[in-house]
Amino acid sequence: MDLELTDEQRAFAQAARDYAEGELAPHAAHWDAEGIFPREAFARAGEMGFCAIYASEDIGGLGLPRLDATLVFEEMAAVDPSTTAFLTIHNMATWMVGKWGQPGLREAWGPLLASGQKLASYCLTEPGAGSDAASLSTRAQRQGDDYIVNGAKAFISGGGDTDLLVVMARTGGEGPSGISAFAIPADSEGISYGRKEEKMGWNSQSTRPIVFENVRVPAANMLGQEGEGFKIAMKGLDGGRINIGTCSVGAAQGALDAARRYMDERRQFNRRLAEFQALQFKLADMATHLVAARQMVRLAACKLDGGAPDAATYCAMAKRFATDMGFQICLDAQQIHGGYGYLRDYPLERLVRDTRVHQILEGTNEIMRVIISRQLLEKGADIR
């Protein structure tokens, strides 16, 4: 892991910062308040290559390392964690289509997803299968050249607003080995969408349950081989954990910047807040925790890029640490703002609301601890 970014990486991050300041910053509060899913902003992100950062080049992706993706997502999340988080989900689904899709599927959908003309959702969680993803019950039954899909998914980001669904469904017996993955057009006959969930945060991306009733899916839309779905899902989640950790780091950077500006401008007792040592110490701790979280996320990304055997453990550690620290930094920045931090006129209350869910999704932070401890105790992992 090289701690110094290259000039090319810095330029890439600057392009993402410019996009965030021009396309996200002016609208983020409005999208949040009105629950608007900003398709035009995603399309413009696609024009810059941000809809397929690590997807294969043969479908129109940039084919860049996961480390480079963290640079982009961090810059965007500093302004708008909610919109950025959906973009990370779309990137993951696009990568899956490019890596495991059969030629016809890749040709039909790859360039559309990579360009942002079409958007994708990831469908793993079910009403009865959250942390225990291997117990999912949505079933895909083979019928000639097709599969017939029945079941339900829950908490699907972009559900009802996207064009393609990457769905995990059971094609065999119980357990992980019975699960397969499919790419299903979102407007297929037999798919219905529940009401849009009213959430604490992440309001610029819709979240809906999805029901599949005798949905006919060509066998050619399977990703990988039958029975490989759980493996594909877990590989996706390793990257997803890095992505959501990065969104927390970005939001924390945005919160730290806001707190620093406020401390320099706000005066109490005839002194700037920046002159009070208690607040100086708080800011110092926030900055220290932010740097530690950023480096842990980037280390995990490098592990994943290098195919390290312990990459999944580092992804879990990075996700746990970065989302906990990111949320706390946003809370600390809100506290520094006092009553103003509670108002929607300032970004802090939105950053707090948006980062809270990061500790829950892509595997709760309690599940991250299970993964880490299992690697240490059962498999004797060495984290030196």
Side-chain angles (χ1 to χ4, degrees):
M1 178 182 175
D2 190 345
L3 296 179
E4 291 298 323
L5 300 180
T6 66
D7 290 342
E8 184 177 350
Q9 287 173 322
R10 293 183 185 280
F12 197 45
Q14 183 62 54
R17 186 179 304 126
D18 292 342
Y19 167 83
E21 292 175 354
E23 299 291 344
L24 303 183
H27 310 292
H30 175 64
W31 294 338
D32 171 71
E34 301 297 327
I36 295 171
F37 185 73
R39 285 199 71 118
E40 292 183 1
F42 293 128
R44 284 190 283 274
E47 292 171 2
M48 300 182 69
F50 296 154
C51 282
I53 299 170
Y54 48 87
S56 56
E57 294 180 82
D58 60 1
I59 67 165
L62 298 181
L64 293 173
R66 298 302 180 102
L67 176 60
D68 290 27
T70 69
L71 308 180
V72 170
F73 297 144
E74 180 181 333
E75 294 293 345
M76 293 181 183
V79 171
D80 188 350
S82 171
T83 303
T84 305
F86 176 78
L87 193 62
T88 72
I89 294 168
H90 172 78
N91 266 266
M92 179 174 67
T94 302
W95 168 72
M96 288 179 168
V97 170
K99 186 172 181 63
W100 286 288
Q102 299 180 41
L105 180 72
R106 290 157 54 92
E107 292 171 8
W109 283 96
L112 294 174
L113 296 173
S115 66
Q117 297 177 60
K118 300 289 186 181
L119 299 174
S121 291
Y122 178 66
C123 305
L124 175 63
T125 302
E126 297 184 359
S131 295
D132 184 14
S135 68
L136 66 83
S137 59
T138 296
R139 180 160 291 279
Q141 187 74 37
R142 186 70 183 252
Q143 189 177 94
D145 293 332
D146 299 324
Y147 283 85
I148 307 301
V149 179
N150 285 280
K153 297 293 181 179
F155 303 117
I156 304 305
S157 292
D161 288 313
T162 52
D163 308 286
L164 189 71
L165 309 175
V166 174
V167 180
M168 303 301 157
R170 191 167 299 283
T171 53
E174 297 300 313
S177 62
I179 297 171
S180 300
F182 298 88
I184 306 177
D187 60 356
S188 298
E189 184 176 355
I191 295 179
S192 59
Y193 298 90
R195 71 175 181 87
K196 183 179 177 180
E197 303 286 7
E198 296 183 8
K199 308 189 296 292
M200 174 180 174
W202 271 29
N203 291 319
S204 68
Q205 51 170 295
S206 53
T207 301
R208 292 184 176 90
I210 304 178
V211 175
F212 300 85
E213 295 181 287
N214 296 320
V215 178
R216 186 173 293 274
V217 182
N221 282 35
M222 178 178 284
L223 301 179
Q225 301 298 314
E226 189 167 298
E228 290 186 333
F230 191 76
K231 179 185 72 174
I232 292 171
M234 293 304 102
K235 286 184 178 295
L237 285 178
D238 283 341
R241 287 162 184 161
I242 292 172
N243 288 345
I244 209 63
T246 301
C247 286
S248 288
V249 169
Q253 182 68 66
L256 178 68
D257 291 343
R260 184 167 53 182
R261 289 193 300 269
Y262 187 78
M263 285 174 60
D264 193 54
E265 297 167 359
R266 177 74 166 165
R267 299 185 67 87
Q268 290 288 280
F269 306 103
N270 295 319
R271 298 167 65 191
R272 292 181 302 119
L273 293 189
E275 297 177 42
F276 290 88
Q277 190 178 66
L279 295 183
Q280 293 171 358
F281 283 7
K282 183 179 285 290
L283 198 71
D285 286 344
M286 291 163 64
T288 302
H289 296 154
L290 172 59
V291 170
R294 176 182 292 123
Q295 295 308 320
M296 183 167 279
V297 166
R298 291 182 180 180
L299 173 59
C302 289
K303 289 272 189 179
L304 199 59
D305 285 333
D310 56 359
T313 304
Y314 278 84
C315 290
M317 288 193 291
K319 192 271 181 182
R320 202 289 299 167
F321 187 77
T323 58
D324 281 350
M325 288 299 100
F327 180 61
Q328 186 59 53
I329 290 167
C330 289
L331 282 176
D332 288 342
Q334 186 181 45
Q335 188 73 15
I336 287 172
H337 278 71
Y340 291 106
Y342 204 65
L343 302 181
R344 290 196 171 182
D345 294 338
Y346 291 76
L348 276 306
E349 63 86 29
R350 176 167 53 83
L351 293 177
V352 168
R353 287 187 291 105
D354 282 346
T355 53
R356 176 61 184 93
V357 75
H358 296 182
Q359 297 169 298
I360 298 172
L361 48 78
E362 304 291 7
T364 65
N365 284 2
E366 290 74 18
I367 291 296
M368 296 306 99
R369 291 177 171 89
V370 170
I371 292 171
I372 297 162
S373 61
R374 183 178 295 158
Q375 291 295 317
L376 292 171
L377 295 173
E378 297 180 12
K379 299 186 179 181
D382 187 348
I383 58 171
R384 291 181 181 84

mmCIF file of all heavy atoms in Angstrom, residues 151-197:
data_model
loop_
_atom_site.group_PDB
_atom_site.id
_atom_site.type_symbol
_atom_site.label_atom_id
_atom_site.label_comp_id
_atom_site.label_asym_id
_atom_site.label_seq_id
_atom_site.Cartn_x
_atom_site.Cartn_y
_atom_site.Cartn_z
ATOM 1 N N GLY A 151 -41.030 -14.649 -5.001
ATOM 2 C CA GLY A 151 -40.502 -14.266 -3.702
ATOM 3 C C GLY A 151 -40.587 -12.775 -3.480
ATOM 4 O O GLY A 151 -41.284 -12.058 -4.211
ATOM 5 N N ALA A 152 -39.885 -12.305 -2.457
ATOM 6 C CA ALA A 152 -39.930 -10.880 -2.104
ATOM 7 C C ALA A 152 -38.575 -10.415 -1.601
ATOM 8 O O ALA A 152 -37.846 -11.176 -0.956
ATOM 9 C CB ALA A 152 -41.006 -10.630 -1.055
ATOM 10 N N LYS A 153 -38.267 -9.187 -1.891
ATOM 11 C CA LYS A 153 -37.052 -8.540 -1.404
ATOM 12 C C LYS A 153 -37.436 -7.284 -0.621
ATOM 13 O O LYS A 153 -38.496 -6.683 -0.861
ATOM 14 C CB LYS A 153 -36.127 -8.170 -2.567
ATOM 15 C CG LYS A 153 -35.613 -9.373 -3.365
ATOM 16 C CD LYS A 153 -34.681 -10.234 -2.556
ATOM 17 C CE LYS A 153 -34.153 -11.416 -3.347
ATOM 18 N NZ LYS A 153 -33.215 -12.241 -2.556
ATOM 19 N N ALA A 154 -36.578 -6.882 0.292
ATOM 20 C CA ALA A 154 -36.873 -5.729 1.148
ATOM 21 C C ALA A 154 -35.701 -4.749 1.164
ATOM 22 O O ALA A 154 -34.562 -5.135 0.923
ATOM 23 C CB ALA A 154 -37.170 -6.199 2.573
ATOM 24 N N PHE A 155 -36.018 -3.500 1.457
ATOM 25 C CA PHE A 155 -35.003 -2.435 1.597
ATOM 26 C C PHE A 155 -34.145 -2.288 0.341
ATOM 27 O O PHE A 155 -32.917 -2.154 0.432
ATOM 28 C CB PHE A 155 -34.097 -2.709 2.809
ATOM 29 C CG PHE A 155 -34.840 -2.843 4.108
ATOM 30 C CD1 PHE A 155 -34.830 -4.033 4.813
ATOM 31 C CD2 PHE A 155 -35.553 -1.773 4.626
ATOM 32 C CE1 PHE A 155 -35.515 -4.167 6.017
ATOM 33 C CE2 PHE A 155 -36.246 -1.891 5.830
ATOM 34 C CZ PHE A 155 -36.222 -3.092 6.523
ATOM 35 N N ILE A 156 -34.769 -2.290 -0.820
ATOM 36 C CA ILE A 156 -34.005 -2.228 -2.069
ATOM 37 C C ILE A 156 -33.807 -0.773 -2.493
ATOM 38 O O ILE A 156 -34.759 -0.072 -2.839
ATOM 39 C CB ILE A 156 -34.709 -3.026 -3.186
ATOM 40 C CG1 ILE A 156 -34.935 -4.473 -2.734
ATOM 41 C CG2 ILE A 156 -33.893 -2.961 -4.462
ATOM 42 C CD1 ILE A 156 -33.683 -5.201 -2.273
ATOM 43 N N SER A 157 -32.561 -0.345 -2.479
ATOM 44 C CA SER A 157 -32.229 1.025 -2.872
ATOM 45 C C SER A 157 -32.473 1.224 -4.361
ATOM 46 O O SER A 157 -32.009 0.440 -5.185
ATOM 47 C CB SER A 157 -30.765 1.326 -2.548
ATOM 48 O OG SER A 157 -30.551 1.354 -1.164
ATOM 49 N N GLY A 158 -33.199 2.270 -4.681
ATOM 50 C CA GLY A 158 -33.542 2.553 -6.073
ATOM 51 C C GLY A 158 -34.728 1.763 -6.571
ATOM 52 O O GLY A 158 -35.129 1.934 -7.731
ATOM 53 N N GLY A 159 -35.292 0.889 -5.731
ATOM 54 C CA GLY A 159 -36.417 0.061 -6.172
ATOM 55 C C GLY A 159 -37.560 0.897 -6.723
ATOM 56 O O GLY A 159 -38.023 1.826 -6.070
ATOM 57 N N GLY A 160 -38.008 0.578 -7.916
ATOM 58 C CA GLY A 160 -39.076 1.332 -8.563
ATOM 59 C C GLY A 160 -38.581 2.470 -9.425
ATOM 60 O O GLY A 160 -39.346 3.021 -10.229
ATOM 61 N N ASP A 161 -37.298 2.818 -9.309
ATOM 62 C CA ASP A 161 -36.722 3.905 -10.102
ATOM 63 C C ASP A 161 -35.584 3.430 -11.000
ATOM 64 O O ASP A 161 -35.085 4.212 -11.812
ATOM 65 C CB ASP A 161 -36.187 5.016 -9.190
ATOM 66 C CG ASP A 161 -37.300 5.813 -8.539
ATOM 67 O OD1 ASP A 161 -38.235 6.204 -9.252
ATOM 68 O OD2 ASP A 161 -37.243 6.028 -7.312
ATOM 69 N N THR A 162 -35.170 2.183 -10.842
ATOM 70 C CA THR A 162 -34.055 1.671 -11.632
ATOM 71 C C THR A 162 -34.553 0.763 -12.752
ATOM 72 O O THR A 162 -35.734 0.453 -12.840
ATOM 73 C CB THR A 162 -33.064 0.916 -10.729
ATOM 74 O OG1 THR A 162 -33.773 -0.067 -9.956
ATOM 75 C CG2 THR A 162 -32.350 1.867 -9.787
ATOM 76 N N ASP A 163 -33.620 0.340 -13.596
ATOM 77 C CA ASP A 163 -33.976 -0.380 -14.817
ATOM 78 C C ASP A 163 -33.598 -1.856 -14.800
ATOM 79 O O ASP A 163 -34.146 -2.641 -15.578
ATOM 80 C CB ASP A 163 -33.267 0.292 -16.008
ATOM 81 C CG ASP A 163 -33.516 1.786 -16.048
ATOM 82 O OD1 ASP A 163 -34.639 2.178 -16.411
ATOM 83 O OD2 ASP A 163 -32.597 2.561 -15.702
ATOM 84 N N LEU A 164 -32.669 -2.223 -13.954
ATOM 85 C CA LEU A 164 -32.209 -3.614 -13.884
ATOM 86 C C LEU A 164 -32.049 -4.004 -12.421
ATOM 87 O O LEU A 164 -31.571 -3.207 -11.608
ATOM 88 C CB LEU A 164 -30.873 -3.780 -14.610
ATOM 89 C CG LEU A 164 -30.386 -5.220 -14.808
ATOM 90 C CD1 LEU A 164 -31.235 -5.939 -15.848
ATOM 91 C CD2 LEU A 164 -28.912 -5.248 -15.224
ATOM 92 N N LEU A 165 -32.448 -5.238 -12.112
ATOM 93 C CA LEU A 165 -32.334 -5.756 -10.750
ATOM 94 C C LEU A 165 -31.368 -6.935 -10.744
ATOM 95 O O LEU A 165 -31.562 -7.894 -11.483
ATOM 96 C CB LEU A 165 -33.696 -6.213 -10.226
ATOM 97 C CG LEU A 165 -34.855 -5.217 -10.336
ATOM 98 C CD1 LEU A 165 -36.159 -5.874 -9.879
ATOM 99 C CD2 LEU A 165 -34.574 -3.956 -9.525
ATOM 100 N N VAL A 166 -30.326 -6.844 -9.925
ATOM 101 C CA VAL A 166 -29.439 -7.990 -9.707
ATOM 102 C C VAL A 166 -29.996 -8.731 -8.495
ATOM 103 O O VAL A 166 -29.956 -8.222 -7.372
ATOM 104 C CB VAL A 166 -27.986 -7.542 -9.469
ATOM 105 C CG1 VAL A 166 -27.119 -8.729 -9.090
ATOM 106 C CG2 VAL A 166 -27.441 -6.865 -10.727
ATOM 107 N N VAL A 167 -30.537 -9.916 -8.736
ATOM 108 C CA VAL A 167 -31.354 -10.626 -7.745
ATOM 109 C C VAL A 167 -30.697 -11.944 -7.353
ATOM 110 O O VAL A 167 -30.290 -12.731 -8.219
ATOM 111 C CB VAL A 167 -32.768 -10.905 -8.310
ATOM 112 C CG1 VAL A 167 -33.624 -11.648 -7.280
ATOM 113 C CG2 VAL A 167 -33.442 -9.598 -8.729
ATOM 114 N N MET A 168 -30.629 -12.203 -6.056
ATOM 115 C CA MET A 168 -30.181 -13.489 -5.536
ATOM 116 C C MET A 168 -31.414 -14.339 -5.245
ATOM 117 O O MET A 168 -32.314 -13.896 -4.518
ATOM 118 C CB MET A 168 -29.349 -13.314 -4.264
ATOM 119 C CG MET A 168 -28.136 -12.416 -4.440
ATOM 120 S SD MET A 168 -26.989 -13.016 -5.698
ATOM 121 C CE MET A 168 -26.154 -11.489 -6.145
ATOM 122 N N ALA A 169 -31.474 -15.538 -5.808
ATOM 123 C CA ALA A 169 -32.635 -16.412 -5.644
ATOM 124 C C ALA A 169 -32.176 -17.855 -5.481
ATOM 125 O O ALA A 169 -31.108 -18.246 -5.970
ATOM 126 C CB ALA A 169 -33.579 -16.283 -6.838
ATOM 127 N N ARG A 170 -32.994 -18.640 -4.817
ATOM 128 C CA ARG A 170 -32.645 -20.032 -4.544
ATOM 129 C C ARG A 170 -33.038 -20.922 -5.723
ATOM 130 O O ARG A 170 -34.211 -20.989 -6.100
ATOM 131 C CB ARG A 170 -33.334 -20.495 -3.260
ATOM 132 C CG ARG A 170 -32.831 -21.841 -2.751
ATOM 133 C CD ARG A 170 -33.291 -22.104 -1.327
ATOM 134 N NE ARG A 170 -32.797 -21.104 -0.384
ATOM 135 C CZ ARG A 170 -31.544 -21.078 0.073
ATOM 136 N NH1 ARG A 170 -30.670 -21.993 -0.320
ATOM 137 N NH2 ARG A 170 -31.163 -20.130 0.908
ATOM 138 N N THR A 171 -32.051 -21.574 -6.289
ATOM 139 C CA THR A 171 -32.295 -22.524 -7.382
ATOM 140 C C THR A 171 -32.088 -23.967 -6.936
ATOM 141 O O THR A 171 -32.402 -24.903 -7.664
ATOM 142 C CB THR A 171 -31.338 -22.247 -8.563
ATOM 143 O OG1 THR A 171 -29.987 -22.219 -8.081
ATOM 144 C CG2 THR A 171 -31.662 -20.917 -9.222
ATOM 145 N N GLY A 172 -31.537 -24.142 -5.735
ATOM 146 C CA GLY A 172 -31.266 -25.484 -5.235
ATOM 147 C C GLY A 172 -31.729 -25.643 -3.808
ATOM 148 O O GLY A 172 -32.733 -25.047 -3.387
ATOM 149 N N GLY A 173 -30.999 -26.457 -3.043
ATOM 150 C CA GLY A 173 -31.385 -26.746 -1.669
ATOM 151 C C GLY A 173 -31.067 -25.617 -0.713
ATOM 152 O O GLY A 173 -30.719 -24.505 -1.121
ATOM 153 N N GLU A 174 -31.181 -25.927 0.584
ATOM 154 C CA GLU A 174 -30.950 -24.925 1.609
ATOM 155 C C GLU A 174 -29.470 -24.533 1.670
ATOM 156 O O GLU A 174 -28.597 -25.269 1.225
ATOM 157 C CB GLU A 174 -31.400 -25.457 2.968
ATOM 158 C CG GLU A 174 -32.902 -25.756 3.046
ATOM 159 C CD GLU A 174 -33.741 -24.525 2.779
ATOM 160 O OE1 GLU A 174 -33.427 -23.464 3.373
ATOM 161 O OE2 GLU A 174 -34.682 -24.596 1.962
ATOM 162 N N GLY A 175 -29.220 -23.377 2.252
ATOM 163 C CA GLY A 175 -27.852 -22.933 2.456
ATOM 164 C C GLY A 175 -27.279 -22.156 1.296
ATOM 165 O O GLY A 175 -27.924 -21.989 0.239
ATOM 166 N N PRO A 176 -26.040 -21.694 1.446
ATOM 167 C CA PRO A 176 -25.406 -20.841 0.435
ATOM 168 C C PRO A 176 -25.276 -21.490 -0.935
ATOM 169 O O PRO A 176 -25.398 -20.812 -1.961
ATOM 170 C CB PRO A 176 -24.023 -20.549 1.043
ATOM 171 C CG PRO A 176 -24.184 -20.777 2.502
ATOM 172 C CD PRO A 176 -25.190 -21.866 2.643
ATOM 173 N N SER A 177 -25.020 -22.797 -0.985
ATOM 174 C CA SER A 177 -24.768 -23.457 -2.273
ATOM 175 C C SER A 177 -26.000 -23.569 -3.154
ATOM 176 O O SER A 177 -25.890 -23.908 -4.330
ATOM 177 C CB SER A 177 -24.186 -24.856 -2.040
ATOM 178 O OG SER A 177 -25.111 -25.669 -1.339
ATOM 179 N N GLY A 178 -27.169 -23.271 -2.586
ATOM 180 C CA GLY A 178 -28.392 -23.356 -3.380
ATOM 181 C C GLY A 178 -28.825 -22.043 -3.990
ATOM 182 O O GLY A 178 -29.911 -21.958 -4.575
ATOM 183 N N ILE A 179 -27.984 -21.009 -3.892
ATOM 184 C CA ILE A 179 -28.364 -19.670 -4.341
ATOM 185 C C ILE A 179 -27.686 -19.324 -5.662
ATOM 186 O O ILE A 179 -26.501 -19.606 -5.856
ATOM 187 C CB ILE A 179 -27.993 -18.632 -3.265
ATOM 188 C CG1 ILE A 179 -28.775 -18.903 -1.983
ATOM 189 C CG2 ILE A 179 -28.249 -17.208 -3.764
ATOM 190 C CD1 ILE A 179 -28.331 -18.065 -0.798
ATOM 191 N N SER A 180 -28.442 -18.712 -6.567
ATOM 192 C CA SER A 180 -27.913 -18.247 -7.852
ATOM 193 C C SER A 180 -28.238 -16.770 -8.024
ATOM 194 O O SER A 180 -29.087 -16.218 -7.323
ATOM 195 C CB SER A 180 -28.506 -19.062 -9.007
ATOM 196 O OG SER A 180 -28.192 -20.439 -8.884
ATOM 197 N N ALA A 181 -27.550 -16.147 -8.961
ATOM 198 C CA ALA A 181 -27.730 -14.711 -9.202
ATOM 199 C C ALA A 181 -28.291 -14.479 -10.601
ATOM 200 O O ALA A 181 -27.908 -15.170 -11.557
ATOM 201 C CB ALA A 181 -26.396 -13.983 -9.047
ATOM 202 N N PHE A 182 -29.173 -13.508 -10.708
ATOM 203 C CA PHE A 182 -29.809 -13.188 -11.989
ATOM 204 C C PHE A 182 -29.840 -11.675 -12.194
ATOM 205 O O PHE A 182 -29.935 -10.907 -11.227
ATOM 206 C CB PHE A 182 -31.257 -13.700 -12.015
ATOM 207 C CG PHE A 182 -31.402 -15.186 -11.882
ATOM 208 C CD1 PHE A 182 -31.479 -15.776 -10.629
ATOM 209 C CD2 PHE A 182 -31.444 -15.998 -13.006
ATOM 210 C CE1 PHE A 182 -31.607 -17.149 -10.489
ATOM 211 C CE2 PHE A 182 -31.566 -17.377 -12.880
ATOM 212 C CZ PHE A 182 -31.649 -17.958 -11.619
ATOM 213 N N ALA A 183 -29.785 -11.261 -13.451
ATOM 214 C CA ALA A 183 -30.008 -9.868 -13.833
ATOM 215 C C ALA A 183 -31.374 -9.808 -14.488
ATOM 216 O O ALA A 183 -31.589 -10.397 -15.564
ATOM 217 C CB ALA A 183 -28.929 -9.385 -14.792
ATOM 218 N N ILE A 184 -32.315 -9.121 -13.856
ATOM 219 C CA ILE A 184 -33.710 -9.131 -14.288
ATOM 220 C C ILE A 184 -34.147 -7.707 -14.632
ATOM 221 O O ILE A 184 -34.049 -6.811 -13.784
ATOM 222 C CB ILE A 184 -34.621 -9.700 -13.181
ATOM 223 C CG1 ILE A 184 -34.128 -11.087 -12.730
ATOM 224 C CG2 ILE A 184 -36.062 -9.777 -13.663
ATOM 225 C CD1 ILE A 184 -34.928 -11.676 -11.582
ATOM 226 N N PRO A 185 -34.639 -7.476 -15.852
ATOM 227 C CA PRO A 185 -35.163 -6.144 -16.173
ATOM 228 C C PRO A 185 -36.240 -5.742 -15.171
ATOM 229 O O PRO A 185 -37.127 -6.529 -14.829
ATOM 230 C CB PRO A 185 -35.740 -6.325 -17.584
ATOM 231 C CG PRO A 185 -34.919 -7.442 -18.170
ATOM 232 C CD PRO A 185 -34.661 -8.382 -17.027
ATOM 233 N N ALA A 186 -36.166 -4.514 -14.695
ATOM 234 C CA ALA A 186 -37.027 -4.068 -13.608
ATOM 235 C C ALA A 186 -38.487 -3.945 -13.994
ATOM 236 O O ALA A 186 -39.356 -3.903 -13.118
ATOM 237 C CB ALA A 186 -36.522 -2.729 -13.075
ATOM 238 N N ASP A 187 -38.768 -3.906 -15.296
ATOM 239 C CA ASP A 187 -40.157 -3.794 -15.744
ATOM 240 C C ASP A 187 -40.725 -5.128 -16.209
ATOM 241 O O ASP A 187 -41.760 -5.173 -16.890
ATOM 242 C CB ASP A 187 -40.281 -2.757 -16.855
ATOM 243 C CG ASP A 187 -39.432 -3.108 -18.088
ATOM 244 O OD1 ASP A 187 -38.691 -4.105 -18.045
ATOM 245 O OD2 ASP A 187 -39.518 -2.355 -19.086
ATOM 246 N N SER A 188 -40.084 -6.221 -15.842
ATOM 247 C CA SER A 188 -40.555 -7.544 -16.252
ATOM 248 C C SER A 188 -41.956 -7.811 -15.689
ATOM 249 O O SER A 188 -42.280 -7.404 -14.566
ATOM 250 C CB SER A 188 -39.599 -8.636 -15.768
ATOM 251 O OG SER A 188 -38.320 -8.481 -16.341
ATOM 252 N N GLU A 189 -42.757 -8.524 -16.466
ATOM 253 C CA GLU A 189 -44.105 -8.870 -16.026
ATOM 254 C C GLU A 189 -44.024 -9.730 -14.763
ATOM 255 O O GLU A 189 -43.250 -10.673 -14.687
ATOM 256 C CB GLU A 189 -44.840 -9.632 -17.132
ATOM 257 C CG GLU A 189 -46.288 -9.948 -16.795
ATOM 258 C CD GLU A 189 -47.014 -10.627 -17.945
ATOM 259 O OE1 GLU A 189 -46.418 -10.763 -19.025
ATOM 260 O OE2 GLU A 189 -48.183 -11.027 -17.743
ATOM 261 N N GLY A 190 -44.847 -9.377 -13.773
ATOM 262 C CA GLY A 190 -44.874 -10.125 -12.527
ATOM 263 C C GLY A 190 -44.102 -9.459 -11.407
ATOM 264 O O GLY A 190 -44.165 -9.909 -10.260
ATOM 265 N N ILE A 191 -43.385 -8.360 -11.714
ATOM 266 C CA ILE A 191 -42.677 -7.615 -10.671
ATOM 267 C C ILE A 191 -43.561 -6.456 -10.202
ATOM 268 O O ILE A 191 -44.086 -5.690 -11.015
ATOM 269 C CB ILE A 191 -41.334 -7.055 -11.186
ATOM 270 C CG1 ILE A 191 -40.376 -8.196 -11.539
ATOM 271 C CG2 ILE A 191 -40.700 -6.153 -10.134
ATOM 272 C CD1 ILE A 191 -39.033 -7.732 -12.079
ATOM 273 N N SER A 192 -43.718 -6.347 -8.892
ATOM 274 C CA SER A 192 -44.472 -5.222 -8.337
ATOM 275 C C SER A 192 -43.659 -4.590 -7.211
ATOM 276 O O SER A 192 -42.862 -5.256 -6.540
ATOM 277 C CB SER A 192 -45.845 -5.671 -7.819
ATOM 278 O OG SER A 192 -45.714 -6.662 -6.827
ATOM 279 N N TYR A 193 -43.888 -3.296 -7.012
ATOM 280 C CA TYR A 193 -43.116 -2.524 -6.040
ATOM 281 C C TYR A 193 -44.037 -2.018 -4.941
ATOM 282 O O TYR A 193 -45.130 -1.517 -5.207
ATOM 283 C CB TYR A 193 -42.425 -1.343 -6.723
ATOM 284 C CG TYR A 193 -41.430 -1.782 -7.772
ATOM 285 C CD1 TYR A 193 -41.812 -1.973 -9.093
ATOM 286 C CD2 TYR A 193 -40.109 -2.041 -7.439
ATOM 287 C CE1 TYR A 193 -40.912 -2.399 -10.054
ATOM 288 C CE2 TYR A 193 -39.190 -2.458 -8.389
ATOM 289 C CZ TYR A 193 -39.608 -2.641 -9.694
ATOM 290 O OH TYR A 193 -38.708 -3.065 -10.652
ATOM 291 N N GLY A 194 -43.574 -2.143 -3.703
ATOM 292 C CA GLY A 194 -44.333 -1.636 -2.572
ATOM 293 C C GLY A 194 -44.182 -0.137 -2.435
ATOM 294 O O GLY A 194 -43.550 0.530 -3.256
ATOM 295 N N ARG A 195 -44.746 0.387 -1.364
ATOM 296 C CA ARG A 195 -44.687 1.839 -1.159
ATOM 297 C C ARG A 195 -43.257 2.279 -0.872
ATOM 298 O O ARG A 195 -42.434 1.512 -0.355
ATOM 299 C CB ARG A 195 -45.595 2.246 -0.009
ATOM 300 C CG ARG A 195 -45.095 1.819 1.365
ATOM 301 C CD ARG A 195 -45.989 2.377 2.476
ATOM 302 N NE ARG A 195 -45.500 1.987 3.795
ATOM 303 C CZ ARG A 195 -44.584 2.668 4.476
ATOM 304 N NH1 ARG A 195 -44.042 3.750 3.948
ATOM 305 N NH2 ARG A 195 -44.197 2.263 5.677
ATOM 306 N N LYS A 196 -42.981 3.494 -1.213
ATOM 307 C CA LYS A 196 -41.682 4.074 -0.927
ATOM 308 C C LYS A 196 -41.531 4.240 0.580
ATOM 309 O O LYS A 196 -42.375 4.864 1.239
ATOM 310 C CB LYS A 196 -41.556 5.430 -1.632
ATOM 311 C CG LYS A 196 -40.219 6.109 -1.474
ATOM 312 C CD LYS A 196 -40.223 7.416 -2.250
ATOM 313 C CE LYS A 196 -38.916 8.174 -2.063
ATOM 314 N NZ LYS A 196 -38.923 9.457 -2.819
ATOM 315 N N GLU A 197 -40.484 3.680 1.145
ATOM 316 C CA GLU A 197 -40.286 3.734 2.585
ATOM 317 C C GLU A 197 -39.959 5.165 3.030
ATOM 318 O O GLU A 197 -39.238 5.889 2.354
ATOM 319 C CB GLU A 197 -39.144 2.802 3.009
ATOM 320 C CG GLU A 197 -39.320 1.346 2.596
ATOM 321 C CD GLU A 197 -40.353 0.604 3.412
ATOM 322 O OE1 GLU A 197 -41.057 1.241 4.238
ATOM 323 O OE2 GLU A 197 -40.490 -0.618 3.222
#
